[in-house]
Amino acid sequence: MKRIFQHPTESLTGKKYWRSLGQLADTPEFRGWLEREFPQGAAEMEGGEVTRRNFLKLMGASTALAGLGLAACRRPEMHLVPFTKGVEWSIPGKPLFYTTARPTRRGYSPLVATTHDGRPTKIEGNPLHAVPKGSTDLFAQSSILDLYDPDRAKKITNAGKVTDEAAFEKALEGMLKDAGDGSGLAFLLEDDNSPTRQRLMGLIEKKYPKAMWAVYEPLGEETSDVAYGKDMEVLPQFEKADVILSLDCDFLGSEAEVGTTRAFSARRKVTGPDSKMNRLYVVENRYTITGGISDHRLRVPASQVGAFALALAAQVAEKMNDAALGAAVKAIDAGEVKGRGSVPRLDPDWIKYCVEDLVVSKGASLVLVGERQPAAVQALVAAINAALGNVGKTLLGRKNTDMPTVRIAELARSMTDKKVKTLFIVGGNPVYNAPADLDWANLQKSVPTVVRLGFSEDETSELATWNVPLAHYLEFWGDGRASDGSYVSVQPMILPLFGAWSELDLLAKIAGLEKPTGPELVQETFKQIAKPGDFYTAWAKFLHDGFLANSAVKPGALTFDSAASLTFVKERFSTPATGDDVYEVVFTPCSKMDDGRFNNNGWLQEIPDPITKLTWDNAAQISPATARKLGIKIENKDGEHYEMIEIQLEKGSVTLPAYIAPGHAEGSISIPLGYGRRVVGRVGAGTGFDVYPLRTTSSPYYVVGAKVRLTGDVYKLGLTQEHFALEGRGGDLTREGTVSEYKSKPDFAKTMGMDGHIPPNVSLYSHPTLNNPELSSHPSTTATGQRVNPGWDATGWGMTVDLNSCTGCSACMVACQAENNIPIVGKHQVMNGREMHWIRTDRYFASVDENDPDPEMISQPLMCQHCENAPCETVCPVNATVHNEEGLNVMVYNRCIGTRYCANNCPFKVRRFNFFDYNQRDVMAGKADKNGHFGVFSGVYEWNLISEKGTADTIKMQKNPNVTVRMRGVMEKCTLCVQRIQEAKIAAKVAARDSAEYRIPADSFTTACAQVCPTEAIVFGDIYNPESAVSKLRAAERGYRLLEYLNINTRVTYLARIRNPNPKMPGAEKIGAAMRSHHGEDKHEAEPKEPQA
Amino acid sequence: MPEAVVTLETQKELQRVPLVTNARSLNWITDKVATIAESGTPAWWWMLFIPTSILAIVGILCIAYQISNGVGVWGENKTVGWAWDITNFVFWIGIGHAGTLISAILFLTRQKWRTSINRAAEAMTLFAVICAAIFPGIHVGRVWMAWYLAPVPNSYGIWPNFRSPLLWDVFAVSTYFTVSVLFWYTGLVPDLATMRDRAKSRVKKFLYGIFALGWRGSNRQWRHYEMAYLLLAGLSTPLVLSVHSVVSFDFATSILPGWHTTIFPPYFVAGAIFGGFGMVLTIMLPARLLYPQIDDMMTRQHVDKMTKIILLTGSLVGYAYLMELFVAYYGANPYERFTFFHQRASLGFNEGGFYNWAYYCMMTCNVIAPQVFWIKKARSNYIVVFIICMFVNVGMWFERFVIIATSLAQDFLPSSWRHYHPSWVEIWTFCGTFGIFLSLFLLFMRFLPMICAFEVKAVTPAADPHLHHPGSEEPTGPAVGVLGDHAAKEGHH
């Protein structure tokens, strides 16, 4: 709203001041006096003539000054202009928050976007919505960068020539005019459950009933309709499950959705020794996030998971007296059960005790199967669940009412038959990722007209007739359904940056409607779904909340069709045979690139994979034993060079670096998809290796029968963590115990590692701030019972990290990157060990015997620990890193000269140095070539005096204006989001008005990493406020601090991981052993510690 | 001054070897010292100066490139924040110890043999400190803000952090450099006056004259000079010990395993003297070869004494190395033990022991190699001495590298362990400092009297008023009668 400032008008009757009455009168006497007083300038003042000489002098001087003087050296004039028309709610300098939702193939994730002056800068989960409750994932966090990607498609093109919207609309009309009943029309879409899209598809179908609708998701699920009937979505109820067995199902990682992670972790939370934790068994071929957090894990090649399921089914049938299942299992060829060739034997004990456990908690157990395992395995697992009585209890369902679509193979068939005249491809990238046997590139070329809505110029747009830029979800009006079925809104935050069209725009046009200019299409759908009485209020609430209240669809009963399923299993079940030199290749979803769609996202490229810690590339993951067999060097001294292997399959071969992955199944090779893009922006160019050509319609997940040979070449990979083992420091750094240990000794974590040996801290000197009685007797401190008050303020910021909840998903890393304007540095700098992430996720493989093929995995997020007695602060010669009154270790960029001494003296190595001017230099220029060679004077190495500086304008728009963009040569590190603290403090002070007493309400805000975390592993807050979550968690008996013996008094407390093993299981004794092995068997009682004053 | 009081009563075998052999006259000394700077430039000088100055320019270009682009052109990473830069800094600072030690401490302890080598050693000190000062100067991320290190009162009221050893370093090194320059220059004045008096060209006369500060050699001037020199020597003496102690605080006051060691100050000082003498000999032996006329002043005796100091300090350093290992073992801190027995003194050349080749290189060069000097024959064989000194130079560089790199690369959290590889820029910058050092030294040799002529004269028998025993006919004549053939042999080898 426009503000009109009412200035007080000048008083007409007030005083006027004059020097004398003469001045007031302006009499001749006065003028005469003036002349006497200022004789020099009097003539001019009198308005006397300007002499010719004086005129020339003045003009000459001013010309000289104008031409030669400073006028020419002025900085270009820049204006900071306020809005001429105020934007609703907008206060300059304050962000605005709007709800929206992001489309994914698992439904829409409800979000809140932060906008600064009309620029969306950060994404958070919608705190009002029941599914995310404020948390998000890696992809939602990084999606903001996609919006500003300078390599986005920007122009509408026809046959490669740039044209305009009008031309496209005209051409579209022409295409549709001849469409008739639509028999020549075909659509290839991505999975999306938007009701408006459904509505438009319905309209189009009415108009063109013969049009073909296909949906393709390269990482979509293998669905089988036999088990639960057609179009049933199966919804596992994690909160009800006591025992979970996952068969190659990465339900916390690549198959995760924020809701699943939340539901699962709710049953993993430990608040005290009596907490009832669930128990998780995982069977998988490679370490996944799910496997990492499991209680028991069995390494089985992906192709043998079916065999495992069969063995499991046999025992479950026997224990549960399920004759039908037993008969079905028996009917399958015995060879399938036992496996063929040299398939590693499935541990019978493992299966036996696992089944026992499942049976004990029947009806409260859950067997999950990977969504890309073959349909027969899925049906078999459904039968197992049914036998265990889980269907209808821990497994519920929901009917999917979306319009049926066909698969890409069917579309390909009609394209081969030349039935398709006009093909609309919205999103996706089939030329890159369609199954290799379809030969999609040639098929697409054979279609007369291909219209492509694409987000960027890619492989598919290269072969399309018409290319229209596709809008980002922050640019259009839309709607969708979240994973709980609730109806959510998609609001634009900004006009399409490059005149992009949304999918709905195109469908509306095809349906014969006008291209929407506002939310009218969605409003239409909203009216149908919400049936509101008062539309405008309901609509405003829908936009404000981001979802329609009470629109979630309650999961309903699920009925298992036993007869059909078991017949299906009997017919279709087969386990591929393997042999000594036959390897299985598993195409895994990339934890960062997904199916390759995020390939041009620098944040995701540089986030290390949660398991492999690999950036900018994919690699063939092989177990150490298999690698040894293949002759691949395991000891990699400089941690950079990786041997290249050639993997040969019937369909062709691919050459890529081999990566030794601890805990990987033997004879199995996992390769993440989504790399090696041929046509991609500058970020994605030259990253990784494309393995889509090996993938076919019949074997989209794994292929058995690969031949592997070493090529003799090496390749450089950029890893952020080179060292995987704990080096016997498990007890110190990562602490873990089992439920029984925890029950017998709840504070077991306090005395693990060196903490049991710390001698009393006898010092000649008292710490001026730590031990000052006056300061430590601050009333706010004693009230909370805290040990010391290191500061002078009533608030003190701290953090806890629960290792029991952290899965290692790394969403916190991107959230931090988005919040704090952290630059990416490129692969070459990562190889040099210079990545900038303020928070990192350390991942260790822990085992007592270092050659144990089954090490356990633990992830540990690590940010600045904000030591109260910080080693970095004393060594900085220029006082650039100091402690503030609230216990933060703050970094003063302006003051920093970059000696790097603080980073050296940081025991956690969390400080990051700007080795180059990453925000001014093009880190993407001058990439290392395939052999890792790097141009000596290219990219950031180009002589600074001649290189181009600056960054793309769109990238600048993403930056958080509340956080300094750092220049080169300064140190930076986690600030505990000090900008958010300040904002909260200002708000509290404003609320307190004139009172000096102000207190930020407990847990009223949090840091970016804590906010994003779907498992609430990271908790931040005021440690001196007894009501805050963090002050309670800090007091938890599981709490310990890193490197306590250094007397650095860290402000971050870690909570030890608790695992819930089944004591009968093989390998149960190994759980946590690596953390305890530090001191062998001898049990130490904590030596008395001198209480610190 | 017992060595000056040589009387006929002294037994021959107990007599000291004269410091200037062949009973050279005072005039001979002046002449020989001055002609080095006065005669035409020898061809070998150009042959040495051109490559060293090119090397210096390469180094300066590398520095310019590094300042222009950022510290990233070096090989350091998030884990190893210091590597060659601080290694080179400590290495050069260490070398800068011998000069002032020889000048100041040996002056105060009346070790007269210092006179013929002190000037060159002091010059070497200055040039080494210049090379050293380059590294902390350029290793910072924002060189143009390095003035924040200075305690300049400013409107923000921000002072440097007086708790930081790096700041102590700034003060220690700059004080040391300033005092060393003053000390060196003060000692030069009488000889500059000699040069002025002998100079033929007006330009030379003028320039030497300016720097001679009007020295006339009057009694008054000598009195003032002696007092000033004594005071400066007194001032320099604690500095010799303090500079490297302070440099060692950079490490000792930190918390890193392998750095956090109380033994560091004495061990660093011993190491610095050790390395400094190694470099003095490395420079002086070729200089002796190139200027055979100075043989009588810089005798076998000097080399012998310096090798003995190398032997002593090398053994001290070796003791420190072993004591560090013992303390790491006895302290039973797993992090300390890891650094010492896995990173440094491990036998397995596995991933953990990535740098143990450097550790063994250091041990061999610094502890084992100097033990050769127990043998008198080795001490008197210039080739052997030179080779051992090269070992010392290499070893002392490795010592600093081992301390810095092994501690940083693998400290507390295995997740952040990372090795370090130098980049070409770092390598050439280091080579460049050798270019700068040698170029400056060559210029010094060319234009200034490299031997302190007046002090050498003072230690000749001729300068001793008590020498004139009855029967001596030439007051300034050779003291051959006293020492006979032995001295003559010493002088000609």
Side-chain angles (χ1 to χ4, degrees), chain A residues 315-328:
Chain A
Q315 295 213 18
V316 169
E318 189 192 312
K319 290 255 161 56
M320 299 299 296
N321 295 321
D322 188 325
L325 180 60

Side-chain angles (χ1 to χ4, degrees), chain A residues 378-605:
Chain A
Q378 308 232 5
L380 183 63
V381 170
I384 295 171
N385 271 317
L388 287 167
N390 296 334
V391 178
K393 283 182 179 143
T394 56
L395 275 176
L396 297 177
R398 184 167 58 209
K399 189 87 179 157
N400 184 356
T401 53
D402 287 355
M403 194 178 99
T405 53
V406 301
R407 294 184 161 225
I408 194 170
E410 206 167 313
L411 174 64
R413 226 169 290 132
S414 24
M415 282 161 79
T416 322
D417 301 343
K418 304 276 174 210
K419 282 189 200 147
V420 178
K421 298 280 174 292
T422 308
L423 173 64
F424 293 94
I425 305 177
V426 181
N429 189 1
V431 172
Y432 166 67
N433 59 22
D437 54 334
L438 300 182
D439 192 14
W440 186 269
N442 283 325
L443 273 185
Q444 189 174 321
K445 270 189 247 172
S446 71
V447 176
T449 314
V450 178
V451 178
R452 170 89 195 297
L453 248 67
F455 190 73
S456 56
E457 284 163 31
D458 57 17
E459 292 86 345
T460 306
S461 63
E462 213 179 36
L463 301 177
T465 331
W466 280 94
N467 276 304
V468 182
L470 179 66
H472 189 268
Y473 74 93
L474 294 171
E475 293 175 335
F476 63 82
W477 286 99
D479 57 3
R481 288 199 178 274
S483 61
D484 65 348
S486 59
Y487 185 49
V488 297
S489 73
V490 178
Q491 291 192 72
M493 302 295 136
I494 193 167
L495 277 175
L497 285 178
F498 304 110
W501 283 43
S502 76
E503 182 178 16
L504 300 180
D505 291 346
L506 180 74
L507 293 181
K509 262 299 197 198
I510 296 171
L513 307 172
E514 274 306 301
K515 183 173 169 239
T517 52
E520 57 267 24
L521 276 179
V522 186
Q523 283 176 337
E524 195 71 22
T525 319
F526 177 74
K527 278 177 196 160
Q528 289 174 15
I529 293 177
K531 302 196 177 60
D534 171 10
F535 170 74
Y536 286 104
T537 314
W539 174 254
K541 187 168 166 50
F542 177 59
L543 294 187
H544 173 269
D545 294 352
F547 60 95
L548 183 64
N550 305 321
S551 59
V553 182
K554 276 252 155 61
L558 202 60
T559 42
F560 174 66
D561 186 346
S562 172
S565 301
L566 293 175
T567 323
F568 181 78
V569 171
K570 269 185 262 180
E571 278 167 11
R572 299 277 291 274
F573 193 92
S574 77
T575 308
T578 57
D580 264 346
D581 294 320
V582 185
Y583 296 93
E584 117 189 330
V585 178
V586 185
F587 308 107
T588 69
C590 179
S591 54
K592 312 180 290 163
M593 299 299 110
D594 198 39
D595 55 13
R597 68 182 71 198
F598 301 120
N599 204 280
N600 206 46
N601 187 313
W603 291 350
L604 285 174
Q605 284 279 9

Side-chain angles (χ1 to χ4, degrees), chain A residues 1009-1048:
Chain A
C1009 54
Q1011 188 166 12
V1012 71
C1013 184
T1015 64
E1016 288 165 25
I1018 302 177
V1019 175
F1020 163 85
D1022 180 0
I1023 57 172
Y1024 295 141
N1025 188 339
E1027 278 144 42
S1028 73
V1030 75
S1031 68
K1032 286 169 197 154
L1033 284 170
R1034 266 169 75 90
E1037 65 268 277
R1038 284 187 296 138
Y1040 70 94
R1041 298 190 296 180
L1042 293 181
L1043 305 177
E1044 189 89 60
Y1045 91 94
L1046 290 174
N1047 192 29
I1048 47 181

Side-chain angles (χ1 to χ4, degrees), chain A residues 35 40 102 113 161 173 194 299 351 392 472 495 504 523 536 549 575 652 669 710 733 779 838 845 955 987 1032 1059 1067:
Chain A
E35 203 162 338
Q40 294 267 282
R102 176 176 162 269
K161 283 189 204 69
E173 266 167 42
S194 159
R299 298 174 300 132
I351 301 173
H472 189 268
L495 277 175
L504 300 180
Q523 283 176 337
Y536 286 104
T575 308
I669 301 168
L710 263 73
L733 309 178
W838 286 3
F845 290 110
I955 295 292
K1032 286 169 197 154
R1059 303 222 306 178

Side-chain angles (χ1 to χ4, degrees), chain A residues 719 729 732 832-835 842 875-877 894 896-901 905 909 915 940-942 944 968, chain B residues 65 67-69 72 74 76-78 81-82 85 139 141-142 159 161 164 250 255 335 411-412 415 418:
Chain A
L719 267 72
R729 298 175 182 187
D732 262 355
N832 280 341
R834 295 169 181 174
E835 68 278 0
D842 287 348
V875 298
C876 174
N894 286 347
C896 178
I897 62 170
T899 64
R900 304 187 293 291
Y901 197 179
N905 209 26
K909 293 285 174 277
F915 280 97
V940 287
Y941 293 91
E942 193 182 336
N944 198 25
R968 79 170 159 100
Chain B
Y65 175 58
I67 291 174
S68 153
N69 276 38
W74 289 350
E76 286 145 347
N77 54 49
K78 63 176 199 273
W82 290 346
D85 46 2
H139 95 292
R142 303 200 297 166
W159 291 92
N161 180 8
S164 170
D250 284 348
I255 60 164
Y335 298 98
D411 59 350
F412 295 98
S415 64
R418 204 168 254 281

Side-chain angles (χ1 to χ4, degrees), chain B residues 32-66:
Chain B
K32 287 290 176 276
V33 172
T35 42
I36 293 173
E38 284 167 348
S39 55
T41 311
W44 62 257
W45 191 89
W46 285 112
M47 280 159 65
L48 290 176
F49 185 72
I50 291 168
T52 54
S53 55
I54 289 173
L55 200 57
I57 289 164
V58 168
I60 289 164
L61 283 174
C62 283
I63 291 168
Y65 175 58
Q66 181 251 320

Side-chain angles (χ1 to χ4, degrees), chain A residues 635-638 640 719-727 729 732-733 754 829-835 840 842-844 860 862 871 873-879 893-901 903-909 911-917 921 936-937 939-945 967-970 1042-1043 1045-1046 1048 1078, chain B residues 61 64-83 85 139-150 154 158-167 249-251 253-257 259 332-336 338-339 342 349-354 357 408 410-419 421 424:
Chain A
E635 291 296 339
N636 189 346
K637 210 169 174 187
D638 59 7
E640 268 181 12
L719 267 72
T720 59
Q721 183 181 346
E722 290 176 352
H723 205 88
F724 298 167
L726 273 164
E727 292 291 337
R729 298 175 182 187
D732 262 355
L733 309 178
M754 281 171 84
Q829 296 305 318
V830 173
M831 289 194 311
N832 280 341
R834 295 169 181 174
E835 68 278 0
R840 63 174 195 259
D842 287 348
R843 186 270 301 105
Y844 295 108
Q860 182 177 39
L862 209 93
E873 288 169 14
T874 53
V875 298
C876 174
V878 293
N879 266 329
Y893 305 126
N894 286 347
R895 184 75 188 164
C896 178
I897 62 170
T899 64
R900 304 187 293 291
Y901 197 179
N904 287 344
N905 209 26
C906 171
F908 308 104
K909 293 285 174 277
R911 288 179 155 264
R912 297 287 176 263
F913 185 65
N914 285 276
F915 280 97
F916 289 107
D917 219 342
R921 303 290 297 274
V936 179
F937 287 114
V940 287
Y941 293 91
E942 193 182 336
W943 191 277
N944 198 25
L945 302 172
M967 75 177 301
R968 79 170 159 100
V970 301
L1042 293 181
L1043 305 177
Y1045 91 94
L1046 290 174
I1048 47 181
H1078 180 68
Chain B
L61 283 174
Y65 175 58
Q66 181 251 320
I67 291 174
S68 153
N69 276 38
V71 183
V73 300
W74 289 350
E76 286 145 347
N77 54 49
K78 63 176 199 273
T79 309
V80 184
W82 290 346
D85 46 2
H139 95 292
V140 298
R142 303 200 297 166
V143 179
W144 52 97
M145 292 295 182
W147 60 272
Y148 281 171
L149 289 164
N154 63 27
I158 306 171
W159 291 92
N161 180 8
F162 293 105
R163 292 183 299 169
S164 170
L166 216 55
L167 191 74
F249 290 162
D250 284 348
F251 308 108
T253 63
S254 81
I255 60 164
L256 279 187
W259 283 16
N333 178 325
Y335 298 98
E336 294 272 336
F338 182 86
T339 300
H342 194 238
F349 285 78
N350 51 12
E351 200 200 342
F354 187 76
W357 62 272
L408 282 173
Q410 306 198 334
D411 59 350
F412 295 98
L413 270 53
S415 64
S416 47
W417 289 358
R418 204 168 254 281
H419 296 311
H421 305 277
W424 64 270

